[in-house]
Amino acid sequence: MSASNKKRAAAGEVESGRDRKKAKLLETRHITVQNVTLPNTVSIEKFIQARAFEIKAMEGSMKTTRSDGATHRVFQTLPRHMRRRAASHDHRRVPKRHRERALAEIGDAVRVKKRIPKRGFAKRLTKTEVFLRRQKDKTWLETHLWHAKRMHMANLWGYRLAESPTTKAFRASHRAALHDCILHDASYYGTIEISGTLGLLQCVLARITDAYAVAASSARYNSGVRTCETFLYAANTYPLGLIGPALLLWRAGESESVTQRTVWMRLHPAMFNAAWTAVTTAAGQALEGTENQQLEIADLRDELVAFELMGQKSSRILAGAFQPDWNKCEDETQEFWKSLSDLSTTASVPRGMVVGLTVIDPRVTFPPKNSKHSDEPVPFHYLPTPTLATTEIWNAIARSALQNPRFRKRDLDARREKNLIPGTRLKPVEEDSRIPIMLVQRTVGSTHHGWLLLAPRGWGTAFMHSLIYTGTRVAGQRERMTQYVEAGERVFPGDFPSIAASQEWWNVRAASERGRWERRPKNKRVDYVARGIRSPFLPDWEEVLGLPGLRQGESLAHRGATGQTAQIWLARGEHIERALRDSTLHQSVAEARAKRSLSAVEIDPEVLLQTAVVSVRVHMVGRGAPGDMAVIYALSGEQEHKLWVHALNLEREGATDVDDSAANNLGRQFPPSDSIIGYITTSSYSLTRGRGFGVGAVSAAAFAKLSRSHTALRSTRYAMLVKVRDRDGLLCRAATLELIA
């Protein structure tokens, strides 16, 4: 003990925390020595036996010194996902095996106060009643409690959804989506079931689906062996009344002799009401003039749970998490399931392939074991067939019977207690629940592949626990959006500028950003007027399209035209690029409508082109990573194009200083407002590409002009060159555009 400490001890002062820590460290490093006299001769074996106590004491001291016990408290030694804020003063917040040590560390200084019941405690609401009361203005998913403890939550589209993890997980989630597995609870997606004769269903779908693509009721899809990814439109309004993307599934196993066919539509909640209106309107039109025929339309939003698994190992995760009931699976299904363990990537599976099977209650087979796979790649040789796609999840009676599990968790725990060896898995019995599920191969762009898992309502938590136990990460809305951006695809609803759901999304977002901007002092916030930004929080399509008074989703007489109705619409499809380049947009639209037996669109070709916008991928050239709402400018002419190409070549070769380059000097010149051709709606730094990237929308007329000028200039390295500037930025950056069909 030092002199100052001795004086402090003599004076009766309390020992400081530093002294206690130092004494504790010295104690852990102390080696106990046995007091014996040294022998005259040394026998190796006898010497080791005699010094066994000291050797063991030294090893224990070294182990104690190296461990975290000397420098960390017990709650600090736990894995990050098991740490709790209250563990520093509440020993009940750590696992049972560490509570004795945690209680000793806390000591008498801090004790958890026993909660005294207040008056009226017996009359309080139960936890279930409290949870139901909190869902008056929104709906919780079945996995809400799990997400609420680990994610940032937000009210979106009538649901309480997970936005992003509370931990740092942006890059880890991206790696998992490509090389491992990441899980997203997509149970908030709605489902519409339509039942009727094949002829009536074909008539309904022809009026509301994409007229240019392959018909959703064609033989390619109506067998039920693969899904149809299409776009929904208001009845008979193609291409103007776009509602949003939809996933169509036909019931497999129904023979041609069966008169009633069934089809499901998987829809985003932001477009569900509009899609429901379109389906009912088209059904009414299809039934006109028919006798003794009917269509049944059902809302299945509360009937199914859905999980999206994305990543290279998603097939192995499924194979390890669930155990099929082999008695209810065909031989082909059994062979397919056994091949999942050796599947190196889901990209090998045919796109949109549907697989149906029945699995045993995952709580019975918990904990799951990760499936073992061979080191050598095994080819996938299974093709979509009705046998593989058949599943009882289509049966409403079977789904209703499974909403309440036969056994509660405590019943299963009682069965586990009877096992001779603790920790062993239960053996399934005949009374255990068998759950029909559906697997759908899912692809986003050309880089992200995985599965969509559909199961009956009531099994969301059980399924999620088994999937998470296998080591997969969990994604929120941010991670799901990042998957689409990295794949170069549009994110619904923000990247669809012509639909009402997109307008609602941007209005809510603009109100939040505007409120945050207005709360800042004037000298601390961005002056958008000085930067020439007329609409900093909402895309100003009035300015982009040059149509004064025209707003997104609204329609009015086009000024200067013949009094016809003009409305902003999203031009999409494989034919759009060729139609814009050859100035045959009106003709291609008329041909597509004729394929569905729809009348020709009654809009002037010039108005049709001037009110159209197209989705584009924005690739940054060199430096810069634009944010959302960045403005896209067109170059003024051939001379400016040559200046930018020359400056970019110098920068690429490293001939100029990066901070004072010719490209930066060109970018400091503010472009005029009439050169705005579009906006970037979703953007970030792309981890896949290693540079800035975004998805946006530009005027179709401006894109056609840019495409023709690119052909004339014969530029290949900097094709479709434009300028991009953040709404609060002072520098324009070069970028290239790529059309999204």
Side-chain angles (χ1 to χ4, degrees):
M1 184 180 294
S2 62
S4 60
N5 290 341
K6 289 180 180 179
K7 292 179 181 180
R8 192 182 298 116
E13 297 182 10
V14 180
E15 191 177 7
S16 66
R18 180 182 179 184
D19 295 334
R20 288 197 303 270
K21 184 176 180 181
K22 186 176 181 180
K24 183 179 179 182
L25 194 61
L26 291 174
E27 182 180 354
T28 57
R29 292 178 177 177
H30 177 71
I31 302 176
T32 307
V33 180
Q34 188 177 10
N35 295 324
V36 293
T37 58
L38 296 175
N40 296 327
T41 60
V42 177
S43 176
I44 301 299
E45 295 182 359
K46 292 182 179 180
F47 180 78
I48 293 176
Q49 291 177 358
R51 295 293 179 264
F53 176 81
E54 295 180 7
I55 294 173
K56 187 178 294 186
M58 184 179 67
E59 290 178 347
S61 179
M62 292 171 62
K63 183 178 180 181
T64 306
T65 305
R66 286 197 305 263
S67 67
D68 293 330
T71 57
H72 292 78
R73 292 182 58 181
V74 63
F75 71 90
Q76 295 174 318
T77 63
L78 297 175
R80 187 175 296 274
H81 68 280
M82 295 180 64
R83 297 180 189 177
R84 298 295 182 267
R85 178 182 56 83
S88 61
H89 61 272
D90 188 353
H91 69 282
R92 297 173 300 179
R93 290 292 186 176
V94 299
K96 287 184 178 180
R97 63 182 183 274
H98 297 308
R99 287 180 185 174
E100 185 177 353
R101 179 182 162 192
L103 188 61
E105 291 177 348
I106 294 173
D108 298 330
V110 180
R111 289 290 184 183
V112 179
K113 295 182 179 179
K114 188 176 181 181
R115 188 171 296 175
I116 302 175
K118 297 181 180 180
R119 174 179 288 181
F121 184 81
K123 298 181 181 179
R124 288 183 179 179
L125 298 175
T126 63
K127 186 174 291 187
T128 303
E129 292 172 336
V130 172
F131 287 165
L132 291 175
R133 173 179 289 185
R134 291 168 61 184
Q135 297 182 56
K136 284 186 177 181
D137 57 341
K138 68 239 178 217
T139 302
W140 287 3
L141 303 183
E142 293 183 11
T143 58
H144 171 81
L145 294 180
W146 191 96
H147 282 95
K149 296 176 181 178
R150 300 162 178 87
M151 313 280 263
H152 296 292
M153 309 297 288
N155 294 334
L156 297 171
W157 312 300
Y159 291 88
R160 185 71 173 171
L161 301 179
E163 223 173 12
S164 61
T166 54
T167 58
K168 291 183 179 180
F170 188 83
R171 289 178 178 267
S173 299
H174 168 70
R175 288 193 297 266
L178 289 178
H179 308 298
D180 204 338
C181 182
I182 189 167
L183 169 73
H184 177 70
D185 188 353
S187 302
Y188 56 91
Y189 265 65
T191 304
I192 297 178
E193 182 181 80
I194 312 174
S195 300
T197 62
L198 181 59
L200 283 177
L201 292 179
Q202 289 176 339
C203 186
V204 171
L205 295 178
R207 296 173 183 271
I208 61 175
T209 55
D210 187 359
Y212 188 84
V214 179
S217 57
S218 63
R220 175 180 176 85
Y221 302 118
N222 64 25
S223 60
V225 299
R226 56 170 56 87
T227 59
C228 173
E229 299 177 12
T230 186
F231 287 82
L232 294 188
Y233 293 81
N236 303 326
T237 61
Y238 175 86
L240 301 181
L242 178 63
I243 298 176
L247 182 71
L248 270 61
L249 302 95
W250 288 80
R251 182 171 184 175
E254 295 178 330
S255 60
E256 296 181 357
S257 59
V258 177
T259 57
Q260 291 290 112
R261 296 297 308 275
T262 305
V263 62
W264 281 355
M265 287 185 181
R266 295 278 302 164
L267 306 165
H268 193 278
M271 58 175 285
F272 189 89
N273 293 334
W276 180 272
T277 303
V279 170
T280 53
T281 303
Q285 296 174 356
L287 289 172
E288 290 181 357
T290 61
E291 296 181 0
N292 300 327
Q293 293 190 19
Q294 60 179 0
L295 282 169
E296 296 181 4
I297 306 175
D299 182 357
L300 303 184
R301 277 182 290 186
D302 297 329
E303 296 289 331
L304 300 170
V305 295
F307 295 99
E308 295 175 351
L309 289 90
M310 186 66 69
Q312 191 174 355
K313 298 181 181 179
S314 55
S315 300
R316 303 173 193 170
I317 295 295
L318 287 172
F322 304 114
Q323 178 180 335
D325 184 5
W326 302 119
N327 297 326
K328 296 186 178 181
C329 294
E330 300 291 340
D331 295 340
E332 187 178 358
T333 306
Q334 296 183 23
E335 294 175 2
F336 168 81
W337 185 261
K338 294 175 182 178
S339 69
L340 285 181
S341 301
D342 298 327
L343 193 61
S344 58
T345 173
T346 320
S348 305
V349 183
R351 181 162 184 165
M353 181 178 177
V354 179
V355 181
L357 67 155
T358 302
V359 298
I360 300 172
D361 185 349
R363 301 174 302 163
V364 175
T365 59
F366 192 88
K369 296 181 180 179
N370 286 334
S371 60
K372 298 181 180 179
H373 62 281
S374 60
D375 297 333
E376 299 180 358
V378 178
F380 185 85
H381 55 272
Y382 295 95
L383 296 176
T385 61
T387 303
L388 279 175
T390 303
T391 173
E392 282 297 312
I393 198 174
W394 290 90
N395 192 336
I397 299 176
R399 294 197 307 269
S400 178
L402 287 168
Q403 285 187 5
N404 298 319
R406 295 182 183 179
F407 297 104
R408 302 181 66 178
K409 185 178 182 297
R410 64 184 181 187
D411 300 329
L412 298 176
D413 293 339
R415 286 169 56 183
R416 287 190 179 92
E417 291 179 358
K418 298 178 181 179
N419 289 339
L420 295 178
I421 302 176
T424 56
R425 301 173 69 180
L426 292 176
K427 292 183 178 180
V429 296
E430 193 66 28
E431 291 77 14
D432 290 330
S433 300
R434 267 68 175 172
I435 304 102
I437 65 172
M438 180 190 297
L439 296 176
V440 178
Q441 196 280 346
R442 182 169 171 267
T443 297
V444 178
S446 60
T447 56
H448 291 65
H449 310 277
W451 292 98
L452 170 65
L453 170 64
L454 298 178
R457 173 191 177 188
W459 293 93
T461 303
F463 275 58
M464 188 169 187
H465 285 171
S466 292
L467 291 169
I468 293 173
Y469 194 87
T470 56
T472 182
R473 301 190 69 90
V474 181
Q477 294 295 320
R478 184 191 67 181
E479 286 71 31
R480 189 175 187 271
M481 181 191 70
T482 302
Q483 294 173 17
Y484 277 82
V485 175
E486 293 289 346
E489 295 295 325
R490 292 173 288 236
V491 183
F492 187 87
D495 293 339
F496 290 79
S498 64
I499 62 176
S502 177
Q503 182 67 18
E504 295 176 5
W505 165 267
W506 281 104
N507 285 340
V508 172
R509 179 171 174 172
S512 175
E513 292 183 352
R514 181 182 293 276
R516 192 182 306 116
W517 179 79
E518 290 177 346
R519 286 192 296 270
R520 295 178 64 87
K522 286 188 176 181
N523 59 341
K524 297 291 185 180
R525 64 191 184 194
V526 179
D527 188 355
Y528 292 111
V529 177
R531 284 166 168 75
I533 304 297
R534 192 171 109 177
S535 178
F537 307 111
L538 277 174
D540 191 358
W541 298 111
E542 172 187 342
E543 185 178 17
V544 170
L545 300 177
L547 302 173
L550 184 61
R551 291 293 180 184
Q552 178 178 342
E554 299 178 355
S555 60
L556 72 163
H558 174 56
R559 300 184 183 183
T562 58
Q564 297 168 327
T565 300
Q567 180 180 343
I568 299 176
W569 64 285
L570 179 64
R572 48 156 307 278
E574 300 293 340
H575 65 293
I576 289 298
E577 186 170 12
R578 184 180 66 254
L580 292 176
R581 185 176 60 250
D582 301 339
S583 302
T584 58
L585 180 61
H586 190 273
Q587 180 182 350
S588 63
V589 169
E591 292 175 354
R593 290 179 62 88
K595 284 171 53 179
R596 298 289 188 268
S597 301
L598 302 176
S599 59
V601 59
E602 298 179 356
I603 299 180
D604 185 81
E606 182 182 351
V607 177
L608 189 68
L609 176 62
Q610 196 168 2
T611 56
V613 294
V614 293
S615 297
V616 292
R617 301 182 183 95
V618 183
H619 301 270
M620 301 304 296
V621 180
R623 304 181 70 191
D628 296 351
M629 280 294 298
V631 186
I632 304 175
Y633 297 93
L635 302 182
S636 60
E638 183 178 351
Q639 184 63 28
E640 187 180 7
H641 185 276
K642 290 181 179 179
L643 291 175
W644 272 100
V645 170
H646 178 68
L648 293 173
N649 286 333
L650 291 176
E651 191 175 274
R652 185 169 179 267
E653 296 169 359
T656 59
D657 184 14
V658 175
D659 295 328
D660 191 24
S661 61
N664 281 3
N665 294 332
L666 287 172
R668 291 189 181 95
Q669 303 174 10
F670 271 28
S673 59
D674 57 357
S675 63
I676 298 177
I677 61 173
Y679 293 92
I680 296 179
T681 50
T682 304
S683 178
S684 66
Y685 183 84
S686 174
L687 299 177
T688 302
R689 299 166 181 83
R691 61 176 184 270
F693 176 79
V695 175
V698 298
S699 166
F703 186 87
K705 181 180 178 181
L706 195 63
S707 179
R708 287 191 290 268
S709 64
H710 159 65
T711 305
L713 292 172
R714 302 181 182 277
S715 176
T716 54
R717 174 173 294 174
Y718 304 114
M720 313 290 287
L721 191 65
V722 294
K723 296 183 292 186
V724 174
R725 179 166 69 100
D726 278 323
R727 54 182 171 177
D728 56 351
L730 299 173
L731 190 67
C732 290
R733 299 284 189 182
T736 59
L737 302 183
E738 179 188 357
L739 185 69
I740 301 179

